[in-house]
Amino acid sequence: MRDSPPSVPPDSSDSEQSGTDQTLEVRVPEMDCPSCAGKVTKSVERLDGIDDIDPRVTSGRLLVRYDPARTSESEIRDRVRAAGYQIADEGSDGGAADLSLSVPEMDCASCANKVENALAALDGVDEIETQPTSGRVTVAVDDETSADTVVDAVGSAGYEATPMDGDDEIGFGDDDSIWRSRRAIGTAIGGAIAAVGIGLSFVVPAADPTLGTVAGRPYALSQLLFIMAAAIAGAPVLRNAVYSIRNRSLDIDFLMGVGIVASVAAHHPFEGAMLAVLFSVAELLERFSMDRARNSLRELMDLSPDTATVRRDDGSTETVSADELAIGDVVVVRPGEKIPADGVVIEGQSAVDQAPITGESVPADKREGDEVFGGTIPESGYLEVEVESEADDSTIARIVRTVEDAERDQTKREQFVDRFASVYTPLVVVFALAVATLPPLLAGASWNTWFLRGLTLLVIACPCAFVISTPVSVVSGITSAARNGVLIKGGRHLETTGESDVLAVDKTGTLTTGDLSVTDVIPLEGATEADVLRRASAVERRSEHPVGRSIVGYADEQGIDGRDAGVSNFEALTGKGVRAELDGDTHYVGKPDLFDGLADLEHVHATTDGGVAVVDAPDRSQCEREGCLDVLEDIVPKLERDGKTVVVVGTEDDPLGVIAVADRVRPDAEWAVSRLQEQDVRVVMLTGDNEGTARAIAEQVGIDEFHAELLPDEKLAWIEQLESESDEARVAMVGDGINDAPAMATASVGIAMGAAGTDTALETADVALMGDDLTRLPYLFDLSKTATGVIRQNIWASLAVKAVLAIGAPIGLVTVIHAVIIGDMGMSLGVTGNAMRLANVEPETPAADTGPNSPESN
């Protein structure tokens, strides 16, 4: 019985392409929804000579086929920009180019804002993108703007910048160098001086003489020491405050600088010294913790080796930089060495540890002709590998770029935080000024008391911990996933996966290995097994479908070659099978449904061998001949109950045979489904296979809900229906990344299996499981749900602490020291440390399960 899908949109046919047409492909990152795609399409199609427009929302790419005699590439780009979208490889001007800078000291939103303001004032800069979590700035500059000019502009904001080449992806700092920096030394000296001042002022006041009077105010030795401490420890703060004023940035440096100067000027040098020293310590600790977070990205980059041993044509070997490898080079890899680039084994065999790429703990056996990845390690044998990709295009390089670029994709919560912070800081600053001035002016209260309370609110006004709470969590989660063979393309996808309560799963290649094999060949109407295989393999040899390839492979194994058959007019019938002319007759190979209205499958005759039918089935005696069969009742149900896929071979008039193909369920499929269900994820199987096979596989792996015999468009319709069941429904779809592309693009999150060697999957999927390992699915959902929880904790904890401090400051319960230690330093360290917990989320494996349903116990 066929499952009735929801309504399916009609197919659209592509226009014919003339020989003079050209295709333009541009990347439009902001085109990330159907509405965006519609706006771009409507804008571009206004041009004459546009033959076809293909907006690919999932990958943010636009393909336009056009007649160069009627329109030009520049006009198409202009129309994209006219729709309000920028093209990633050019900024806002066709002549612009991207320049990336490493800015290690830019480690918070306040720093990033200051850098943006400095760059915005520079002529020739069109787009600015700051990534404080990774310490990187990317700007689109015109041809007349040099890298030195941009570096100087960043320097005017108070930050040292270094242009990055193609090999540098992240603005790293050295953990140890932070504590040896000039700021750390100044903070230590200032802290020591302040400690002496505290001893004189509070411990032995008798030893604290008055040294003089300035403007009518007496100054003791301890107070002068406090002023020295504020000047030495606060020098970087005051310098940055000047940059903030120059760049019109209401940020933490400006607020703290004002606080230090005002404290000293108002004859409160102790508060000024404490503010300078404690804030400098907080900044150093924040920088240290941020570098620790960046280390997770550095570990990914370190997977690629620096050198490679190349075998030359004369048999000699030479050690070269891995970056110098060219496609076609042959590299020599000994046991324990890292493979320097993606390639194919041409000599030798070895077990290769692919965990850095796929996350799989069991080494994979590699021999001549097998694909290997750069960064993986042969454990037992010598290999010679022919390089197939350059260093910057290797799988590990693409993973690193994708992980780092994921910071650009803001989550919904991150967007909320940015909007909130833009309102929060000005409001609290105004409140601080009101608290400091209104009570003394209106009620005659103590200027001394209310100045300190206003100063405390000024410190609380900085939203640093609040702003970094989400991006540091996203980066920590995404890099942790990448180390375990799961590539998440952005924070939005991490967040959405954590919110998804339905997982739609494809059968072939996902729940099963996709390695199909022929199990039964049943000849009919006098044909032989060899004849059925010859005809089927001849037609299927032009097909790319896994079932067709398995039939061709089996025929080759049996020594049956259909290559010499005269095949013409081949046509793939989507979701049903194939059709072609063979030996002058039209032949069909496909599902039983394909023969509706063609050959009669309800009355056929089994081929006999010496009077005995080759298939064991009841003789229906529908005619004078023996061996009468009903294929749909006697053969198909039995094979489908065994989980096999049924393929019928025949012409328009006669069925010639039945071929059964079986797939093997992945050994960890049942365990993965069980773990997902324990996480309250509803697992639904969508497959184009017959209902009998679908039911058998579903029962075997523990899936309660499945929909069978679905065409690609019907899978897409089921995704839409699952998402429409409630306003909060989020549906993730996992498949092979190619055949299931429409459904995966429609789902809230598209997850591709076995993406390590598939460029298409790496490009189009929202999440890519680098290996064919279903255990990574429960891990993905566990990590995503944990990350979502950590982000919520960070946001609400930051808000709660700020609220409590803001309430306590005006009534005197919170001092400047509380505001710095708890509100700034404490919360920044707290949210960063909480985010780093995501690195502790590790994949669970069936081997660790000792329950009755574990693989070991079956």
Side-chain angles (χ1 to χ4, degrees), residues 116-145:
E116 289 174 3
N117 288 339
L119 290 172
L122 189 66
D123 292 335
V125 173
D126 295 313
E127 286 188 356
I128 306 167
E129 181 179 31
T130 54
Q131 298 177 0
T133 310
S134 54
R136 189 176 79 167
V137 176
T138 302
V139 293
V141 296
D142 59 25
D143 294 336
E144 298 178 357
T145 303

Side-chain angles (χ1 to χ4, degrees), residues 293-617:
R294 292 175 183 173
N295 279 346
S296 59
L297 298 178
R298 175 162 41 191
E299 289 171 4
L300 288 177
M301 295 182 65
D302 288 344
L303 292 175
S304 297
D306 296 326
T307 60
T309 303
V310 179
R311 180 170 59 77
R312 300 304 183 188
D313 293 339
D314 60 3
S316 63
T317 59
E318 179 183 359
T319 300
V320 300
S321 169
D323 297 334
E324 298 177 5
L325 290 176
I327 296 174
D329 283 347
V330 175
V331 295
V332 173
V333 188
R334 299 173 180 83
E337 297 179 348
K338 290 181 179 179
I339 297 174
D342 292 358
V344 174
V345 177
I346 60 173
E347 184 177 328
Q349 61 181 24
S350 175
V352 176
D353 179 8
Q354 297 191 135
I357 302 294
T358 66
E360 296 169 342
S361 57
V362 179
D365 291 330
K366 299 292 182 178
R367 52 180 54 84
E368 187 175 333
D370 289 341
E371 182 181 32
V372 291
F373 305 112
T376 58
I377 306 171
E379 294 188 342
S380 57
Y382 166 93
L383 295 177
E384 290 190 6
V385 178
E386 182 177 347
V387 176
E388 289 196 331
S389 68
E390 296 179 351
D392 61 354
D393 195 38
S394 67
T395 300
I396 190 63
R398 294 201 303 271
I399 291 174
V400 171
R401 283 197 298 270
T402 301
V403 170
E404 195 211 0
D405 288 345
E407 187 185 352
R408 300 177 179 178
D409 188 16
Q410 286 192 323
T411 67
K412 291 179 295 184
R413 291 180 178 85
E414 196 169 356
Q415 293 169 4
F416 159 75
V417 166
D418 287 347
R419 291 194 302 268
F420 182 87
S422 66
V423 176
Y424 166 84
T425 298
L427 286 180
V428 178
V429 169
V430 171
F431 183 43
L433 293 175
V435 167
T437 58
L438 293 183
L441 290 174
L442 300 180
S446 168
W447 281 98
N448 193 53
T449 299
W450 289 99
F451 170 80
L452 293 177
R453 293 179 181 181
L455 179 63
T456 302
L457 280 171
L458 204 64
V459 176
I460 295 170
C462 176
C464 274
F466 181 56
V467 172
I468 69 170
S469 61
T470 299
V472 73
S473 302
V474 168
V475 170
S476 179
I478 290 176
T479 52
S480 176
R483 287 197 305 270
N484 288 291
V486 179
L487 186 60
I488 303 174
K489 304 288 278 294
R492 178 163 50 93
H493 305 309
L494 178 72
E495 182 181 57
T496 305
T497 303
E499 296 173 347
S500 298
D501 51 5
V502 179
L503 176 63
V505 186
D506 178 48
K507 179 183 74 70
T508 304
T510 305
L511 292 173
T512 64
T513 63
D515 185 14
L516 303 173
S517 59
V518 174
T519 59
D520 303 85
V521 179
I522 303 172
L524 303 173
E525 303 297 351
T528 63
E529 287 189 18
D531 190 37
V532 173
L533 283 172
R534 184 186 71 84
R535 293 169 184 260
S537 64
V539 174
E540 291 282 15
R541 200 169 292 276
R542 301 190 181 189
S543 172
E544 293 296 324
H545 196 279
V547 172
R549 291 199 299 268
S550 69
I551 292 174
V552 172
Y554 181 75
D556 291 343
E557 291 175 5
Q558 301 300 312
I560 299 170
D561 191 352
R563 291 187 180 87
D564 295 334
V567 177
S568 61
N569 297 327
F570 174 86
E571 181 182 2
L573 307 173
T574 304
K576 294 183 178 180
V578 295
R579 172 175 59 199
E581 297 292 330
L582 174 64
D583 297 336
D585 293 321
T586 302
H587 282 65
Y588 295 82
V589 181
K591 297 179 178 179
D593 289 351
L594 178 59
F595 287 82
D596 289 347
L598 299 175
D600 184 8
L601 299 182
E602 297 179 357
H603 183 195
V604 301
H605 301 90
T607 295
T608 60
D609 184 6
V612 178
V614 299
V615 59
D616 184 15

Side-chain angles (χ1 to χ4, degrees), residues 80 123 517 700 822:
V80 174
D123 292 335
S517 59
Q700 189 172 346
I822 300 174

Side-chain angles (χ1 to χ4, degrees), residues 157-220:
Y159 299 92
E160 183 178 349
T162 305
M164 299 164 63
D165 59 32
D167 302 323
D168 299 324
E169 294 293 333
I170 299 160
F172 291 125
D174 182 351
D175 291 345
D176 294 334
S177 68
I178 293 173
W179 306 114
R180 298 192 302 268
S181 66
R182 181 180 302 174
R183 181 166 194 170
I185 295 171
T187 301
I189 294 173
I193 294 174
V196 174
I198 291 172
L200 291 174
S201 180
F202 298 102
V203 180
V204 284
D208 187 17
T210 300
L211 300 180
T213 301
V214 177
R217 293 176 176 175
Y219 282 87

Side-chain angles (χ1 to χ4, degrees), residues 12-366:
S12 60
S13 58
D14 293 332
S15 59
E16 291 185 6
Q17 180 175 348
S18 67
T20 59
D21 281 357
Q22 294 182 5
T23 299
L24 170 66
E25 179 178 348
V26 293
R27 194 159 67 89
V28 190
E30 295 176 353
M31 185 184 67
D32 55 7
C33 68
S35 174
C36 305
K39 283 190 288 186
V40 172
T41 300
K42 289 179 181 178
S43 179
V44 174
E45 66 186 6
R46 293 172 60 182
L47 294 171
D48 293 333
I50 301 298
D51 294 327
D52 186 51
I53 304 173
D54 181 13
R56 300 181 178 179
V57 173
T58 307
S59 56
R61 293 185 181 275
L62 178 71
L63 276 73
V64 181
R65 183 153 50 83
Y66 66 99
D67 183 352
R70 303 174 62 192
T71 191
S72 67
E73 179 179 320
S74 61
E75 289 177 312
I76 296 173
R77 291 176 180 269
D78 287 342
R79 291 312 308 167
V80 174
R81 290 194 290 273
Y85 296 88
Q86 297 298 331
I87 297 173
D89 58 358
E90 65 175 21
S92 62
D93 186 279
D98 283 347
L99 172 66
S100 293
L101 303 174
S102 171
V103 190
E105 295 179 351
M106 185 192 68
D107 53 13
C108 67
S110 170
C111 310
N113 187 49
K114 201 181 305 180
V115 170
E116 289 174 3
N117 288 339
L119 290 172
L122 189 66
D123 292 335
V125 173
D126 295 313
E127 286 188 356
I128 306 167
E129 181 179 31
T130 54
Q131 298 177 0
T133 310
S134 54
R136 189 176 79 167
V137 176
T138 302
V139 293
V141 296
D142 59 25
D143 294 336
E144 298 178 357
T145 303
S146 68
D148 290 340
T149 302
V150 178
V151 168
D152 291 341
V154 176
S156 71
Y159 299 92
E160 183 178 349
T162 305
M164 299 164 63
D165 59 32
D167 302 323
D168 299 324
E169 294 293 333
I170 299 160
F172 291 125
D174 182 351
D175 291 345
D176 294 334
S177 68
I178 293 173
W179 306 114
R180 298 192 302 268
S181 66
R182 181 180 302 174
R183 181 166 194 170
I185 295 171
T187 301
I189 294 173
I193 294 174
V196 174
I198 291 172
L200 291 174
S201 180
F202 298 102
V203 180
V204 284
D208 187 17
T210 300
L211 300 180
T213 301
V214 177
R217 293 176 176 175
Y219 282 87
L221 175 60
S222 62
Q223 291 175 312
L224 292 179
L225 291 175
F226 290 143
I227 294 173
M228 289 176 59
I232 295 173
V237 183
L238 297 174
R239 184 185 66 248
N240 289 338
V242 172
Y243 288 127
S244 298
I245 295 170
R246 184 183 300 169
N247 291 290
R248 299 181 299 280
S249 178
L250 183 62
D251 58 18
I252 185 64
D253 290 316
F254 172 77
L255 297 176
M256 292 297 179
V258 169
I260 293 170
V261 172
S263 297
V264 173
H267 202 236
H268 293 286
F270 170 72
E271 283 76 11
M274 291 300 97
L275 195 58
V277 172
L278 291 177
F279 178 67
S280 291
V281 171
E283 289 290 282
L284 291 169
L285 288 172
E286 183 179 318
R287 173 80 184 279
F288 175 75
S289 62
M290 186 61 71
D291 277 356
R292 294 295 296 272
R294 292 175 183 173
N295 279 346
S296 59
L297 298 178
R298 175 162 41 191
E299 289 171 4
L300 288 177
M301 295 182 65
D302 288 344
L303 292 175
S304 297
D306 296 326
T307 60
T309 303
V310 179
R311 180 170 59 77
R312 300 304 183 188
D313 293 339
D314 60 3
S316 63
T317 59
E318 179 183 359
T319 300
V320 300
S321 169
D323 297 334
E324 298 177 5
L325 290 176
I327 296 174
D329 283 347
V330 175
V331 295
V332 173
V333 188
R334 299 173 180 83
E337 297 179 348
K338 290 181 179 179
I339 297 174
D342 292 358
V344 174
V345 177
I346 60 173
E347 184 177 328
Q349 61 181 24
S350 175
V352 176
D353 179 8
Q354 297 191 135
I357 302 294
T358 66
E360 296 169 342
S361 57
V362 179
D365 291 330
K366 299 292 182 178

Side-chain angles (χ1 to χ4, degrees), residues 609-631:
D609 184 6
V612 178
V614 299
V615 59
D616 184 15
D619 186 352
R620 295 182 175 273
S621 301
Q622 299 179 39
C623 64
E624 296 179 356
R625 294 177 56 186
E626 295 182 355
C628 288
L629 294 172
D630 184 334
V631 171

